[in-house]
Amino acid sequence: HQSRTMAQASNADETETAELAFHGVEYVVSVSSFNGDMLSIEVEQKQEGLRWRGDFTSRYIEDITTKTGNFKKFGVFHKMLVAAVVEESESVFIDLLTYADLEALKNKRQGGAAPARTTSAKQNNKRYLILTYAAEYDRVHYPLPLLFEDQPSVESLNATVARLKRENARLAATAGVGKGDSSEIGAENARLRDENEQLRQKVRQLRRDLSKAEKSATAGGVGAVELSAVRGSTDGAFASSASGEQVDHLQAELKAVNKELRVVRRERDDLSRQLQQKETELANVEASKKRMLRSKQRELDQAVEEAGRRRETERELRIKVKDLTTQCDGLERRLRSGGGWG
């Protein structure tokens, strides 16, 4: 799963952002370059909002490429990293590892299990973005350590808020998708109900005609005509008589209509089941989207609240800095004044 955006950060020359999945967990990965000699990588876990960051100078980048035995200039390395993030090249790709993952990978390369090492909480919190360059006959890994951001900056929180707003807008825009099929089935079902009613009316008219024919046959004194009780059944059969041609014709037409009616009923029942199934699926999708929207809204509210707290803390610190600066200026003036008296 990947979505790509291009942005000009406040101080960055260029920022590339993509949503990627590592080991079944979704992350937002951002790569920024500064003045052509500084690289910044930010990784945010989408579900929990945890963040890691690493800032690397051009000298550091070129040093680690030298150590791998496959030297790359800073500009080339930056292009390789961006291509891996946006998945534009098959020869470069990235992975996100914990400290334990990295140690296990090193031990595997060395051909055996190394003795267990105790790791600090700081090491456990670190992540390593591994840029892999797959050459024709070789594969080179460039590890980039990322530190856990226990207290993200206001800029980072604002970026998270902006991303959550975009996701909320996208989810709200797609919340109504899928209703077309349900409405079409509903219209077809209504048409079949109308057709069914018309057939019922036709059956009732045929029964009235049969009743008239029966009365006409008995009133004309044409022998005894024995008729089955058909007034409550759509499949009734009538006994023949000398004047029964009209009755036979109406009976045959009634049977044909009843057959057509049964077919229409089956179609109606099938469509009703399909409609119910579609409505159930749609209700499940809408419920899932609403749950996701509520979750994203909670994340957004928390991020906005956290950003507000950060801004308030920043404002208080600026006031303290201003007060301390004023006190320092006063002390300097007093010292200079005391020096003059001496």
Side-chain angles (χ1 to χ4, degrees):
H1 169 67
Q2 176 201 305
S3 66
R4 176 181 175 186
T5 60
M6 191 77 164
Q8 293 293 329
S10 55
N11 297 318
D13 299 330
E14 181 181 293
T15 298
E16 195 76 44
T17 302
E19 294 181 11
L20 302 170
F22 302 111
H23 311 288
V25 180
E26 290 189 341
Y27 295 87
V28 179
V29 181
S30 297
V31 177
S32 303
S33 62
F34 300 84
N35 303 321
D37 62 356
M38 175 70 74
L39 191 64
S40 177
I41 300 174
E42 293 178 279
V43 175
E44 178 184 353
Q45 186 179 335
K46 286 188 66 177
Q47 189 67 25
E48 302 294 335
L50 304 177
R51 297 178 62 90
W52 292 265
R53 180 188 177 97
D55 298 305
F56 310 98
T57 63
S58 58
R59 181 174 180 179
Y60 179 90
I61 294 296
E62 292 177 357
D63 282 348
I64 64 167
T65 62
T66 300
K67 290 177 182 178
T68 62
N70 195 318
F71 173 76
K72 301 292 180 186
K73 285 187 171 292
F74 176 80
V76 174
F77 186 90
H78 176 242
K79 290 180 181 178
M80 290 169 56
L81 183 58
V82 169
V85 168
V86 301
E87 298 179 337
E88 284 185 345
S89 173
E90 295 182 357
S91 60
V92 288
F93 52 90
I94 57 174
D95 196 5
L96 190 67
L97 302 180
T98 63
Y99 179 80
D101 293 334
L102 189 63
E103 286 297 310
L105 184 62
K106 289 179 181 178
N107 295 337
K108 185 178 179 181
R109 286 185 190 169
Q110 293 170 0
R117 300 180 183 178
T118 57
T119 58
S120 65
K122 186 175 181 181
Q123 286 175 323
N124 287 331
N125 282 337
K126 288 177 71 173
R127 293 293 182 270
Y128 293 86
L129 190 77
I130 311 297
L131 173 64
T132 300
Y133 171 57
E136 187 175 0
Y137 300 107
D138 199 5
R139 181 168 289 197
V140 186
H141 303 285
Y142 302 104
L144 298 169
L146 306 177
L147 297 178
F148 177 68
E149 283 193 315
D150 190 26
Q151 295 183 345
S153 64
V154 174
E155 290 79 6
S156 298
L157 290 171
N158 286 337
T160 300
V161 169
R163 176 179 63 79
L164 290 172
K165 284 182 177 178
R166 288 194 300 270
E167 288 189 7
N168 280 347
R170 177 178 58 82
L171 288 171
T174 58
V177 174
K179 295 183 179 178
D181 293 341
S182 177
S183 61
E184 289 177 5
I185 292 177
E188 179 67 12
N189 203 14
R191 184 187 67 78
L192 287 173
R193 281 196 297 267
D194 292 341
E195 187 176 345
N196 192 9
E197 181 58 30
Q198 292 173 6
L199 289 169
R200 286 178 184 274
Q201 292 176 4
K202 192 173 182 180
V203 168
R204 287 194 291 268
Q205 182 60 44
L206 286 171
R207 283 176 177 167
R208 286 194 293 269
D209 292 343
L210 284 170
S211 179
K212 289 179 183 178
E214 172 193 345
K215 290 177 182 178
S216 175
T218 17
V222 187
V225 180
E226 294 186 0
L227 298 171
S228 324
V230 295
R231 287 174 176 79
S233 169
T234 57
D235 293 320
F238 292 86
S240 301
S241 68
S243 61
E245 291 184 3
Q246 184 181 4
V247 174
D248 291 342
H249 173 73
L250 290 173
Q251 183 183 7
E253 189 173 353
L254 177 61
K255 288 183 177 179
V257 170
N258 280 331
K259 183 178 180 182
E260 185 177 357
L261 182 60
R262 286 193 296 272
V263 171
V264 171
R265 281 175 176 170
R266 283 197 298 270
E267 292 179 356
R268 181 201 60 190
D269 293 341
D270 290 342
L271 284 171
S272 294
R273 284 192 294 271
Q274 293 179 28
L275 177 61
Q276 186 177 3
Q277 182 180 358
K278 286 288 184 181
E279 288 176 345
T280 302
E281 292 175 358
L282 181 60
N284 292 337
V285 169
E286 288 182 347
S288 176
K289 288 180 178 177
K290 285 179 181 177
R291 286 194 299 270
M292 187 177 295
L293 279 171
R294 286 195 295 270
S295 174
K296 294 299 181 183
Q297 187 62 48
R298 283 195 299 270
E299 293 179 17
L300 177 61
D301 294 341
Q302 291 171 0
V304 170
E305 184 179 350
E306 182 66 20
R309 286 198 297 267
R310 298 291 182 192
R311 282 194 293 271
E312 182 62 24
T313 302
E314 184 178 357
R315 187 184 67 81
E316 292 175 356
L317 289 173
R318 289 181 184 276
I319 293 173
K320 288 182 181 179
V321 169
K322 186 177 179 180
D323 291 343
L324 289 172
T325 303
T326 302
Q327 292 178 19
C328 286
D329 292 343
L331 286 173
E332 287 180 357
R333 285 195 298 271
R334 282 156 62 182
L335 286 171
R336 284 197 298 271
S337 175
W341 284 101

